[in-house]
C-alpha cells in the first residue's frame, strides 16, 4: 500500500510539472523577462507571491517558465539517448563477435570518463547554450541504455521463440523490433524515468556554471546561480528554484521506483 501511495504522489508531481510546462504562458502572472528595478529583491507579496530577483523579475513566473526548460531537456536527452542506446545495444547483443567487441569498447571508453566532467568539456568546446547542453548530455547518456539493451538482448536471443523466428527466415531487424523490443520496453521505461531525473540535475548544474540556458531564458539552474550572491539577504532567490528541482527529481524517482517494483512483482 505504501509503495502505491508513493507512486501516486510521484505521478501527481509529474502531471503537475507537465501541466505547468504546457500552460506556462497562461499560468505565469508576468512575463519572465520583464524587469522592474524599483521592485528588486522583494520578498513574498500579493503581487509577487515568491518575490522578485535582483532585476525585479517575478520569481514565480520564471519558475513556471523554467519548467519548460527542464521538461525539454529531460525528454530530449532521454529520447535521443534511448534511440542511440537501443540501436547500439541491439546490434551488439544480437550479432556478438567483433561487432559486440567494437561497440562495447567504444562504450567503455566513454564510461571511463566522469559523465558530468565530460558534459562540461563538450559544452565548453561547443559553447554555452541550451541546445549544446542537450547535445552534450545525449553524447554521454546513451552508454547506459546500450549496456542495458545488450544484456537483455543476449538473454532473449537464446529463447525458443527467437530461434523459431530465425528458423522461419525472419531478418534481424524484424526479429529485434517485433519479438525482442516488446520485452525491453518495461525496463527502458524505468531506465528512462531515472534518466530524466539525472538529465534535469545535469542541466541545472551546467546552467549554474553558466554553460546552459543563457539569460534572459529562465532556467532553474541559472536562477540558482543568480541568487547565490544574495543568499544571506534574499534566500528566496535560491530556495524556490531549488525546491522546484528537488520536487521534480523526487517525482521522477518515485515513479521509477514504483514501476520497478511492479515489474519485479510481475516477474515473480
Amino acid at each position: 500500500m505504501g509503495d502505491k501511495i508513493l507512486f501516486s504522489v510521484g505521478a501527481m508531481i509529474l502531471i503537475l510539472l507537465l501541466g505547468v510546462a504546457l500552460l506556462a504562458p497562461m499560468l505565469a502572472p508576468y512575463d519572465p523577462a520583464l524587469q522592474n528595478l524599483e521592485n528588486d529583491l522583494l520578498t513574498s507579496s500579493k503581487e509577487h507571491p515568491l518575490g522578485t530577483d535582483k532585476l525585479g523579475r517575478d520569481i514565480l513566473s520564471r519558475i513556471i517558465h523554467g519548467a519548460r526548460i527542464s521538461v525539454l531537456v529531460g525528454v530530449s536527452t532521454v529520447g535521443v539517448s534511448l534511440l542511440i542506446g537501443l540501436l547500439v545495444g541491439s546490434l551488439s547483443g544480437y550479432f556478438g563477435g567483433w561487432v559486440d567487441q567494437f561497440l562495447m569498447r567504444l562504450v567503455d571508453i566513454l564510461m571511463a570518463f566522469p559523465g558530468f566532467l565530460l558534459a562540461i568539456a563538450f559544452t565548453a568546446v561547443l559553447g554555452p547554450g541550451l541546445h549544446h547542453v542537450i547535445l552534450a548530455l545525449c553524447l554521454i547518456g546513451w552508454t547506459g541504455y546500450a549496456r542495458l539493451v545488450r544484456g537483455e538482448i543476449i538473454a532473449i536471443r537464446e529463447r525458443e521463440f527467437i530461434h523459431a523466428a530465425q528458423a522461419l527466415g525472419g531478418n534481424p531487424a524484424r526479429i529485434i523490433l517485433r519479438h525482442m523490443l516488446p520485452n525491453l520496453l518495461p525496463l527502458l521505461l524505468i531506465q528512462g524515468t531515472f534518466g530524466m531525473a539525472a538529465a534535469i540535475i545535469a542541466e541545472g548544474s551546467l546552467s549554474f556554471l553558466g554553460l546552459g540556458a543563457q539569460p534572459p531564458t529562465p532556467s532553474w539552474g541559472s536562477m540558482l546561480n543568480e541568487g547565490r550572491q544574495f543568499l544571506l539577504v534574499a534566500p528566496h532567490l535560491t530556495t524556490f528554484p531549488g525546491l522546484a528541482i528537488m520536487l521534480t527529481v523526487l517525482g521522477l524517482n518515485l515513479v521509477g521506483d514504483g514501476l520497478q517494483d511492479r515489474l519485479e512483482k510481475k516477474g515473480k
Side-chain angles (χ1 to χ4, degrees):
M1 183 63 69
D3 293 339
K4 291 182 178 180
I5 294 176
L6 292 177
F7 177 80
S8 299
V9 171
M12 291 175 62
I13 293 174
L14 295 188
I15 292 173
L16 178 62
L17 173 68
L18 291 174
V20 168
L22 292 173
L23 303 176
M26 291 182 284
L27 295 176
Y30 300 95
D31 183 338
L34 180 63
Q35 300 181 17
N36 186 349
L37 297 179
E38 295 181 356
N39 293 331
D40 63 313
L41 301 180
L42 293 180
T43 56
S44 177
S45 64
K46 184 178 180 180
E47 292 77 15
H48 304 282
L50 301 185
T52 61
D53 64 7
K54 63 179 181 179
L55 298 178
R57 296 174 297 190
D58 183 63
I59 296 294
L60 176 60
S61 300
R62 291 181 64 77
I63 288 179
I64 290 175
H65 280 269
R68 287 189 153 190
I69 302 295
S70 295
V71 171
L72 174 63
V73 170
V75 173
S76 300
T77 301
V78 169
V80 175
S81 299
L82 188 57
L83 289 176
I84 298 174
L86 183 60
L87 176 62
V88 173
S90 298
L91 293 175
S92 180
Y94 187 84
F95 291 104
W98 69 267
V99 176
D100 181 34
Q101 290 295 323
F102 173 76
L103 293 176
M104 286 302 102
R105 295 301 75 75
L106 177 61
V107 170
D108 290 340
I109 291 172
L110 288 175
M111 295 187 72
F113 296 93
F116 185 66
L117 293 180
L118 200 57
I120 292 177
F122 278 130
T123 311
V125 171
L126 297 173
L130 183 61
H131 293 91
H132 291 165
V133 166
I134 295 174
L135 178 59
L137 294 178
C138 291
L139 288 174
I140 63 174
W142 62 270
T143 54
Y145 299 102
R147 279 199 171 278
L148 174 65
V149 171
R150 172 185 176 271
E152 292 300 316
I153 290 291
I154 289 175
I156 294 174
R157 74 181 182 186
E158 301 301 328
R159 296 184 181 178
E160 293 182 357
F161 69 94
I162 298 298
H163 291 307
Q166 292 172 336
L168 292 173
N171 60 67
R174 179 181 176 85
I175 292 174
I176 291 173
L177 292 175
R178 186 167 182 177
H179 300 289
M180 292 183 168
L181 184 58
N183 292 280
L184 297 175
L185 288 178
L187 287 174
L188 293 177
L189 180 60
I190 295 171
Q191 188 73 8
T193 304
F194 293 126
M196 284 189 65
I200 290 173
I201 292 177
E203 183 277 327
S205 301
L206 291 171
S207 294
F208 180 81
L209 296 174
L211 298 174
Q214 298 299 294
T217 304
S219 166
W220 294 341
S222 61
M223 291 176 68
L224 288 173
N225 183 36
E226 293 169 358
R228 64 191 176 98
Q229 58 183 314
F230 303 103
L231 193 58
L232 297 180
V233 296
H236 64 280
L237 299 184
T238 54
T239 299
F240 295 117
L243 285 174
I245 295 174
M246 184 197 72
L247 288 175
T248 300
V249 173
L250 175 63
L252 287 166
N253 285 334
L254 289 177
V255 170
D257 287 337
L259 292 174
Q260 190 170 25
D261 290 339
R262 293 188 179 189
L263 181 63
E264 291 176 354
K265 291 178 180 179
K266 185 177 180 181
K268 293 178 181 179

